[in-house]
């Protein structure tokens, strides 16, 4: 049964609890609503302490990490390409290629690893060469393989003997036979007893009697005496000779150094090589060099991009690497409309509620469905996180309604759950400075083609003043590493309901934006808790 087409459901980079929960919950819902696609929740970075706590509490599986959505070889390769053993006769390979209209067939050794490829060009050159040169076998060939190709019969010999010389059609008088006929050669003779015996006495490697005739008993006995295998062919002498040349093992004509790629190679990295090689194809191999697919030039023409469903963001700088090459099927967000562009119309929701997870719960209810218990707990934690236990100015009646619904479904006290979550995950005493200043980081594009970063951490009745020097140094490193002109960290106390804004870079524009002077690069913001509603809009307007 064919696998369903995959749609990745992804939140933003440096994921917070809402980003992870919305991806998991919405993937669950869409998987029920649309059974024709596989909705796979993914993450774009490591989960933070709070998200880990909610995942553990809800017993929900952590989404797999998705590095990018750029097309890989495995996204376009043909997995049904036939494989041929290196011992298979050239004729059988040629027939297979003709029957399936193939330009190329991978050739494998006894252990299944790639030995080479057979191409149409190699077969064509074989025929052209034979029209100009004496017919001969391209490699030592078992008599049994010749019998198989001729659909003939072995009259003398075991069939395990090998021949490797020229093919002679003995139509002339035996007195005029070429002196070169000898060991290893194949003699094709009609119903002429004298010619048959002459070939045997010349010591040929194989005697083939054509036109379905059979040599007499004395001739067969003579062949046995000289150790010459005898085969009868139902074909005429000319066709028999041509077919014998095609009995050689295909390894004799294969390209032993074919172009190979790995399934996780980026298509953009291998496309030029595939187009340049004369057979316009590459064999996809696994770690043991076993063929698992084929990529042709045709597969590179307008391949279907990978598909993504974006939740909790609409900024290209915050999205998965390569999103500009992907097909975005939907956007579900509670932020401002960002810089994401689509090539075709898509369903996009930008709804001013406190959490994307609120929108996910509403979609469940609109479809008459209820989330699984693990997803419900995860979504509840996300709403309580983004709205700071429903205290953020971004909180709406719809968030309250979603929380009330989840409390009823889960039979728990949502407010108590939210307090436990923050109390268990807001202690930053043992957390390294680099982890603190990068927590819940979001990037924003500003004028002049620049990007700034704003991170946020929540504390419960405790500040980070005592760690200010190490935090500022860690912020400087992040700012310089990412090329941000300004990098800010919101340290939000959910009990005091205010924020200290740490600034790395020139604090002037932010001082002007908030009408507050920075004290040693820290701007106090009383009553400010929301990055989305109270900080980001003013910062972006100032820059």
């Amino acid at each position: 049964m064919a696998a369903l087409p995959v749609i990745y459901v992804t939140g933003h980079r440096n994921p917070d609890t809402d980003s992870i929960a919305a991806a998991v919950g919405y993937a669950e819902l869409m998987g029920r609503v649309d059974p024709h696609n596989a909705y796979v929740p993914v993450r774009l970075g490591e989960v933070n302490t709070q998200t880990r706590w909610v995942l553990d509490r809800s017993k929900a599986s952590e989404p797999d990490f998705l590095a990018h959505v750029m097309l890989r070889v495995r996204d376009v390769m043909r997995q049904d390409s036939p494989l041929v053993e290196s011992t298979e006769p050239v004729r059988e390979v040629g027939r297979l290629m003709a029957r399936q209209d193939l330009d190329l067939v991978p050739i494998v050794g006894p252990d299944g690893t790639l030995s080479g490829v057979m191409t149409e060009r190699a077969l064509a050159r074989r025929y052209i060469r034979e029209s100009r040169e004496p017919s001969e076998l391209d490699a030592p060939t078992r008599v049994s393989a010749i019998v198989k190709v001729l659909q003939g019969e072995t009259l003398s010999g075991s069939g395990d003997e090998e021949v490797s010389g020229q093919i002679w059609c003995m139509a002339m008088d035996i007195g005029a036979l070429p002196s070169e006929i000898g060991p290893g050669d194949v003699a094709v003779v009609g119903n002429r007893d004298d010619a048959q015996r002459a070939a045997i006495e010349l010591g040929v490697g194989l005697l083939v009697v054509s036109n379905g005739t059979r040599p007499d008993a004395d001739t067969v006995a003579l062949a046995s005496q000289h150790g010459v295998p005898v085969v009868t062919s139902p074909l005429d002498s000319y066709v028999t000779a041509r077919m014998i040349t095609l009995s050689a093992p295909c390894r004799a004509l294969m390209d032993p150094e074919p172009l190979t790629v790995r399934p996780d190679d980026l298509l953009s990295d291998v496309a030029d090589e595939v187009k340049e090689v004369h057979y316009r194809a590459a064999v996809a191999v696994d770690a043991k060099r076993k063929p698992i697919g084929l990529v042709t030039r045709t597969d590179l023409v307008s391949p279907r991009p990978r598909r993504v469903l974006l939740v909790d963001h609409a900024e290209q700088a915050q999205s998965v690497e390569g999103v500009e090459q992907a097909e975005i099927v939907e956007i579900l967000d509670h932020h401002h409309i960002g810089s994401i562009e689509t090539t075709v119309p898509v369903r996009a929701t930008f709804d001013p509620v406190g959490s994307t997870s609120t929108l996910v719960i509403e979609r469940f209810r609109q479809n008459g469905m209820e989330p699984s218990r693990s997803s419900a707990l995860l979504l509840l934690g996300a709403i309580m996180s983004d709205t700071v236990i429903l205290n953020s100015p971004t909180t709406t009646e719809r968030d309250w309604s979603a929380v009330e619904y989840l409390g009823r479904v889960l039979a728990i006290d949502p407010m108590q759950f939210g307090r436990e979550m923050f109390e268990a995950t807001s202690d930053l005493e043992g957390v390294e400075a680099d982890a603190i200043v990068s927590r819940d980081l979001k990037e924003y594009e500003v004028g002049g083609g620049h990007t700034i970063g704003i991170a946020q951490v929540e504390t419960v009745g405790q500040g980070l003043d005592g760690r200010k020097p190490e935090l500022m140094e860690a912020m400087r490193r992040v700012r310089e590493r990412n090329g941000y002109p300004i990098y800010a960290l919101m340290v939000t106390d959910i009990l005091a309901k205010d924020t200290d804004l740490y600034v790395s870079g020139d604090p002037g524009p932010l001082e002007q934006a908030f009408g507050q002077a920075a004290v040693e690069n820290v701007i106090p913001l009383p009553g400010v808790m929301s990055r989305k509603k109270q900080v980001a809009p003013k910062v972006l307007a100032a820059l």
Side-chain angles (χ1 to χ4, degrees):
M1 186 174 180
L4 293 175
V6 172
I7 297 176
Y8 295 104
V9 185
T10 173
H12 51 74
R13 301 179 194 177
N14 301 294
D16 59 6
T17 305
D18 190 35
S19 179
I20 294 294
V24 171
Y26 204 42
E28 179 183 308
L29 172 63
M30 293 305 297
R32 297 192 211 169
V33 173
D34 175 19
H36 302 295
N37 291 289
Y39 290 83
V40 179
V42 294
R43 58 182 173 83
L44 306 185
E46 294 299 320
V47 298
N48 61 36
T49 304
Q50 182 190 83
T51 306
R52 175 72 60 199
W53 184 89
V54 180
L55 284 167
D56 292 342
R57 182 70 175 268
S58 65
K59 295 182 172 58
S61 298
E62 179 180 330
D64 289 335
F65 174 73
L66 182 66
H68 61 80
V69 288
M70 292 178 280
L71 281 174
R72 301 165 299 173
V73 166
R74 69 168 68 251
D75 297 317
V76 302
M77 70 184 188
R78 307 178 186 187
Q79 300 183 51
D80 57 351
S81 176
L83 304 178
V84 175
E85 289 276 354
S86 59
T87 55
E88 194 72 13
V90 171
R91 180 173 183 268
E92 296 305 316
V93 180
R95 291 182 64 193
L96 171 68
M97 294 173 68
R99 188 166 58 247
Q100 298 194 21
D101 193 24
L102 302 173
D103 299 326
L104 173 148
V105 172
I107 308 298
V108 296
D111 59 354
T113 59
L114 183 68
S115 295
V117 292
M118 178 71 79
T119 65
E120 276 193 328
R121 174 182 289 193
L123 289 173
R125 285 183 170 178
R126 176 68 183 81
Y127 281 110
I128 292 172
R129 187 176 76 242
E130 185 161 319
S131 68
R132 299 179 302 183
E133 302 172 359
S135 295
E136 62 181 351
L137 289 162
D138 294 288
T141 305
R142 287 186 181 275
V143 170
S144 57
I146 295 175
V147 173
K148 178 181 177 181
V149 169
L150 294 175
Q151 295 184 325
E153 180 184 352
T154 302
L155 302 179
S156 176
S158 66
D160 291 331
E161 303 90 347
E162 286 190 342
V163 289
S164 58
Q166 291 190 25
I167 316 298
W168 299 93
C169 277
M170 297 177 63
M172 71 288 288
D173 183 271
I174 61 172
L177 291 178
S179 59
E180 304 93 79
I181 299 177
D185 290 344
V186 178
V188 180
V189 187
N191 60 347
R192 297 174 55 212
D193 294 342
D194 57 344
Q196 295 169 7
R197 292 191 180 93
I200 294 170
E201 290 170 351
L202 286 170
V204 296
L206 172 65
L207 171 64
V208 181
V209 182
S210 61
N211 294 94
T213 59
R214 304 172 75 92
D216 59 32
D218 291 340
T219 301
V220 174
L222 180 66
S224 297
Q225 182 182 342
H226 284 75
V228 176
V230 179
V231 170
T232 179
S233 167
L235 310 172
D236 64 45
S237 297
Y238 171 76
V239 176
T240 295
R242 294 301 301 272
M243 294 289 276
I244 291 173
T245 63
L246 298 178
S247 302
C250 61
R251 63 173 177 268
L253 294 185
M254 72 180 184
D255 179 346
E257 296 183 355
L259 176 62
T260 60
V261 293
R262 300 298 289 271
D264 287 323
D265 287 346
L266 294 182
L267 214 57
S268 56
D269 290 343
V270 304
D272 287 343
E273 291 182 276
V274 173
K275 293 173 183 176
E276 288 172 4
V277 69
H278 73 80
Y279 42 81
R280 304 291 193 271
V283 183
V285 296
D286 64 14
K288 296 182 179 179
R289 197 176 163 77
K290 293 185 177 181
I292 56 175
L294 201 62
V295 179
T296 69
R297 181 175 58 178
T298 303
D299 300 321
L300 302 177
V301 179
S302 300
R304 181 168 188 177
R306 299 173 85 181
R307 296 192 292 168
V308 294
L309 192 163
L310 307 182
V311 296
D312 200 33
H313 74 290
E315 291 275 359
Q316 182 169 322
Q318 295 179 12
S319 198
V320 61
E321 186 77 19
V323 70
E324 68 281 357
Q325 301 176 23
E327 177 188 344
I328 299 172
V329 301
E330 184 180 354
I331 302 173
L332 184 67
D333 192 16
H334 71 131
H335 299 96
H336 69 281
I337 299 175
S339 58
I340 290 287
E341 296 182 0
T342 65
T343 56
V344 296
V346 301
R347 184 168 72 164
T349 300
F350 296 89
D351 212 335
V353 293
S355 168
T356 304
S357 293
T358 295
L359 302 178
V360 175
I361 287 298
E362 291 179 344
R363 291 285 176 87
F364 266 105
R365 302 185 73 180
Q366 289 163 7
N367 283 279
M369 298 179 181
E370 188 175 287
S372 63
R373 182 171 182 83
S374 63
S375 290
L377 273 169
L378 196 56
L379 291 165
L380 175 60
I383 298 172
M384 302 306 271
S385 173
D386 256 26
T387 64
V388 195
I389 317 181
L390 301 175
N391 285 317
S392 170
T394 62
T395 308
T396 68
E397 289 297 325
R398 292 161 63 186
D399 299 302
W400 279 93
S401 177
V403 167
E404 187 275 333
Y405 164 77
L406 288 169
R408 189 170 64 252
V409 167
L410 294 166
I412 64 172
D413 180 354
M415 305 305 287
Q416 178 62 29
F417 179 82
R419 285 191 293 270
E420 288 180 16
M421 178 180 68
F422 275 102
E423 288 170 0
T425 61
S426 296
D427 184 4
L428 302 176
E429 183 176 348
V431 181
E432 294 184 358
D434 287 337
I436 293 175
V437 302
S438 299
R439 181 172 293 185
D440 192 15
L441 166 63
K442 290 189 177 179
E443 294 181 329
Y444 300 91
E445 295 179 1
V446 296
H450 296 295
T451 299
I452 66 168
I454 304 176
Q456 184 175 21
V457 294
E458 288 99 5
T459 64
V460 181
Q462 59 179 331
L464 294 175
D465 293 344
R467 302 186 64 180
K468 180 181 174 183
E470 62 173 319
L471 291 176
M472 295 303 301
E473 175 61 23
M475 290 177 66
R476 180 193 63 78
R477 291 195 295 269
V478 173
R479 177 173 59 84
E480 292 180 353
R481 182 170 62 247
N482 295 334
Y484 301 138
I486 294 176
Y487 186 60
L489 170 66
M490 295 175 61
V491 181
T492 301
D493 187 332
I494 65 173
L495 293 183
K497 298 182 180 179
D498 61 19
T499 292
D500 285 337
L501 187 66
Y502 287 55
V503 183
S504 178
D506 181 10
L510 304 193
E511 290 177 320
Q512 184 178 357
F514 295 104
Q516 293 275 4
V519 179
E520 296 182 348
N521 285 79
V522 177
I523 303 174
L525 301 177
V528 171
M529 301 180 72
S530 170
R531 172 175 50 192
K532 179 183 72 174
K533 192 168 185 177
Q534 296 173 295
V535 174
K538 290 186 177 182
V539 172
L540 296 177
L543 297 174

